[in-house]
Amino acid sequence: MAFVEIKDIKKHFGCGENKVEALKGVTLSIDKGEMCVLLGPSGSGKSTLLKCLSGIEKPDTGEVILDGVNIHKLKRNETALLRRRRIGFIYQNYNLFEEFTAYENIVLPLVLDNATPDVEEIDALMEQLHILGAKDKLPSELSGGEQQKVAIARAFVAKPKIIFADEPTGNLDAASAAETAKLLRRTSKLFGTCIIMVTHDMQMADCADRIITIEDGHLHSD
Ligand code: ADP
């Protein structure tokens, strides 16, 4: 069985004249450890699909089965646990806490889950992402590329089975974006983590196992 099964999901926003059908029936399956890129014009439904897959939005109809769990049938506290323990997120604007050091930002998902960070393991993860030297620095002391690598380390720290990323290289220059794309791929292969990412960055698309394009709420090609 595939790791992620998406069965005919539909999602609309608004009503009457303002009704927008963001997803018009999307069916897709993704294997364990696959790195998938979602491409498509602005407004085609990429972010809505990512939100439905990660449990942030509930589709009108259809199912999302994540590692055997139908995520939209979970109770609210079960969804919160699933998102904390099994899912990692990477955002375009890094979403780091400015008053916390790189290390403190990275261990946050563990601390929020009352788990004790294994310092050696975190150091190895930071080394893998080339940011060990930034361990005690604040985000304001880091470049954009370094901040995004801290955010990537935070996404991997709880060893999630899947990571959702929304334009992770959108704020980086071409050289940092290329390095970040390669490191993200290497780390996902090391941990066997599935990645589903919205991007316009062709360097990121080049690193992917699979490119899925969406147009007007439909899967266009895979
Ligand atoms: P993309 O990520 O490909 O740019 P989105 O998934 O953000 O596309 O949007 C798909 C369509 O759904 C667009 O027409 C957008 O305006 C609409 N949409 C997305 N989110 C909302 C929302 N919260 N309220 C109303 N319309 C929305």
Side-chain angles (χ1 to χ4, degrees):
M1 196 174 127
F3 181 62
V4 184
E5 292 274 4
I6 299 150
K7 295 182 187 165
D8 196 23
I9 58 173
K10 296 183 180 158
K11 176 75 185 171
H12 80 277
F13 295 102
C15 57
E17 272 184 13
N18 298 322
K19 184 172 175 182
V20 177
E21 290 184 69
L23 297 175
K24 297 177 179 170
V26 173
T27 296
L28 187 63
S29 53
I30 296 167
D31 286 333
K32 192 167 186 286
E34 250 189 330
M35 181 164 170
C36 302
V37 156
L38 294 179
L39 292 178
S42 180
S44 56
K46 304 179 297 293
S47 300
T48 305
L49 181 58
L50 212 62
K51 286 178 189 161
C52 288
L53 296 184
S54 56
I56 294 170
E57 291 278 5
K58 194 174 188 314
D60 305 333
T61 58
E63 291 184 338
V64 177
I65 318 270
L66 202 75
D67 199 14
V69 176
N70 187 332
I71 64 165
H72 296 290
K73 290 219 164 124
L74 295 175
K75 298 195 181 86
R76 192 189 283 213
N77 59 337
E78 292 172 329
T79 309
L81 266 187
L82 174 100
R83 293 186 52 194
R84 206 182 302 149
R85 295 195 176 151
R86 299 227 222 157
I87 300 178
F89 293 90
I90 303 170
Y91 304 93
Q92 180 171 354
N93 56 0
Y94 326 129
N95 277 12
L96 301 177
F97 285 94
E98 290 298 327
E99 64 276 25
F100 288 178
T101 64
Y103 178 83
E104 288 164 345
N105 268 288
I106 291 169
V107 299
L108 206 57
L110 299 176
V111 173
L112 290 175
D113 205 26
N114 293 322
T116 310
D118 176 331
V119 179
E120 275 180 26
E121 218 175 82
I122 313 287
D123 281 358
L125 177 62
M126 292 185 83
E127 175 104 62
Q128 159 80 16
L129 288 161
H130 305 166
I131 44 169
L132 189 54
K135 190 171 177 176
D136 299 318
K137 292 189 178 166
L138 295 171
S140 58
E141 299 173 292
L142 303 177
S143 69
E146 287 170 324
Q147 289 185 58
Q148 191 55 302
K149 287 178 216 159
V150 171
I152 291 172
R154 181 184 55 190
F156 278 99
V157 79
K159 301 193 183 78
K161 301 204 166 187
I162 188 161
I163 288 180
F164 294 102
D166 200 349
E167 291 280 2
T169 55
N171 283 340
L172 303 179
D173 60 64
S176 303
E179 195 201 357
T180 306
K182 284 190 200 130
L183 288 174
L184 186 55
R185 181 182 170 87
R186 180 142 55 93
T187 314
S188 92
K189 294 299 165 196
L190 189 71
F191 289 98
T193 314
C194 195
I195 296 192
I196 303 182
M197 175 190 331
V198 168
T199 187
H200 290 104
D201 181 347
M202 289 319 285
Q203 298 183 107
M204 197 52 114
D206 285 345
C207 284
D209 297 311
R210 190 165 161 194
I211 297 177
I212 297 160
T213 57
I214 303 187
E215 252 181 50
D216 193 23
H218 292 285
L219 279 200
H220 180 64
S221 67
D222 183 358

